[in-house]
Amino acid sequence: MQGLDDMTNRGAALKAIVAYSAPLEFNMQAAGWISVVSAWLIERFPDSGLAAEWAALSSVELGLPLETPSQLKRTLAEQKIDERLRWLAGLPTKAALRAMAMPQEVNKQSLETGRREVKLTTTSRAVVDPARIEALRTISHPDYDLTKLIRFCEELNLAFATESYLSMAMLTRAIVDHVPPIFGKQSFAEVASHHGGATMKRELNNLHTTSRNIADLHLHSKIGRKEVLPTITQVDASNSLDVRLAEIIVILSP
């Protein structure tokens, strides 16, 4: 992140002089550091709220200009510098979260700039472990082409990254309905009832009933006077889905 090292080094240099600086000199340098970082945040991350967060942190000072600071005041000043340095250390993560593209923000930005493109900047955990997707990608089977299953999984991760929870519900349902032939069945209800031991059946039944009910709720419900959008808690079936994908890999691997 361009400029972050410089902002951090300024703070570290300020911390180095806490033990012997006079209040006036120290307070001026501290105020200068805070101001420079604030201006850098506004320029580097406009309209992100990061500059406001930085400004809201505790002020850094040694006290009145002509007083002799106590050891306690010097310690407190050092702690407040540390607080701001820790905040800067976490800035890349904060910036990534701010930049994470939400559906409404993506469309708003496209409208404001008069473009017909959608620009995504996302960083998030994967709902479907990338290792599972790669394992599926390595499988070549004479009876089953996994191309669409892999794309479903990739789009499920993208939907999570952009907080597209309606899409997550529908994609999970699509995966559930897509793979029964791999298990030698025509429907996933049959798979959930007959495949594996008790633990496997429980996970598959959970995936079948939960994903189907949640997807049906949003796919087939008619518009009403008041709508409530789903949260990640409602649509996240990642644990049971991972069990299912692992079983597919076992079945189809040579």
Side-chain angles (χ1 to χ4, degrees), residues 52-63:
E53 279 192 22
W54 173 256
L57 295 174
S58 302
S59 60
V60 180
E61 55 185 25
L62 278 179

Side-chain angles (χ1 to χ4, degrees), residues 104-123:
Q104 66 273 21
E105 289 301 319
V106 170
N107 288 288
K108 179 182 176 183
Q109 290 168 12
S110 296
L111 179 64
E112 288 176 346
T113 56
R115 298 181 305 176
R116 290 188 176 274
E117 307 97 39
V118 173
K119 182 179 180 180
L120 298 178
T121 306
T122 62
T123 303

Side-chain angles (χ1 to χ4, degrees), residues 156 159-160 164-176 210-219 230-232 234-237:
L156 187 57
F160 173 75
S164 302
Y165 298 145
L166 288 169
S167 297
M168 281 187 67
M170 298 166 194
L171 285 164
T172 303
R173 166 73 177 276
I175 294 173
V176 167
T210 302
S211 66
R212 183 170 296 278
N213 290 340
I214 295 299
D216 284 350
L217 173 65
H218 297 295
L219 275 169
T231 64
I232 184 58
Q234 184 181 127
V235 301
D236 185 5

Side-chain angles (χ1 to χ4, degrees), residues 62-205:
L62 278 179
L64 297 175
L66 298 180
E67 71 178 9
T68 301
S70 65
Q71 184 56 45
L72 176 60
K73 285 191 174 182
R74 294 188 187 277
T75 300
L76 288 175
E78 187 172 336
Q79 290 174 350
K80 290 174 181 178
I81 295 172
D82 283 338
E83 177 188 6
R84 288 182 176 270
L85 288 173
R86 284 193 297 271
W87 190 92
L88 287 174
L91 181 59
T93 300
K94 295 175 188 291
L97 290 173
R98 295 298 195 283
M100 184 180 294
M102 309 305 177
Q104 66 273 21
E105 289 301 319
V106 170
N107 288 288
K108 179 182 176 183
Q109 290 168 12
S110 296
L111 179 64
E112 288 176 346
T113 56
R115 298 181 305 176
R116 290 188 176 274
E117 307 97 39
V118 173
K119 182 179 180 180
L120 298 178
T121 306
T122 62
T123 303
S124 76
R125 75 173 179 87
V127 174
V128 181
D129 193 308
R132 295 289 190 223
I133 297 176
E134 286 307 304
L136 291 170
R137 208 185 304 278
T138 63
I139 293 172
S140 178
H141 196 279
D143 298 323
Y144 304 111
D145 183 350
L146 303 185
T147 301
K148 187 179 288 187
L149 174 60
I150 291 168
R151 179 52 61 91
F152 279 148
C153 293
E154 292 171 336
E155 292 192 9
L156 187 57
N157 281 341
L158 180 59
F160 173 75
T162 57
E163 295 191 9
S164 302
Y165 298 145
L166 288 169
S167 297
M168 281 187 67
M170 298 166 194
L171 285 164
T172 303
R173 166 73 177 276
I175 294 173
V176 167
D177 288 342
H178 186 60
V179 299
I182 294 174
F183 296 85
K185 307 296 181 183
Q186 292 303 308
S187 72
F188 199 73
E190 295 178 81
V191 177
S193 298
H194 299 100
H195 185 81
T199 301
M200 178 66 68
K201 286 184 174 68
R202 183 170 60 250
E203 288 297 325
L204 295 180
N205 266 300

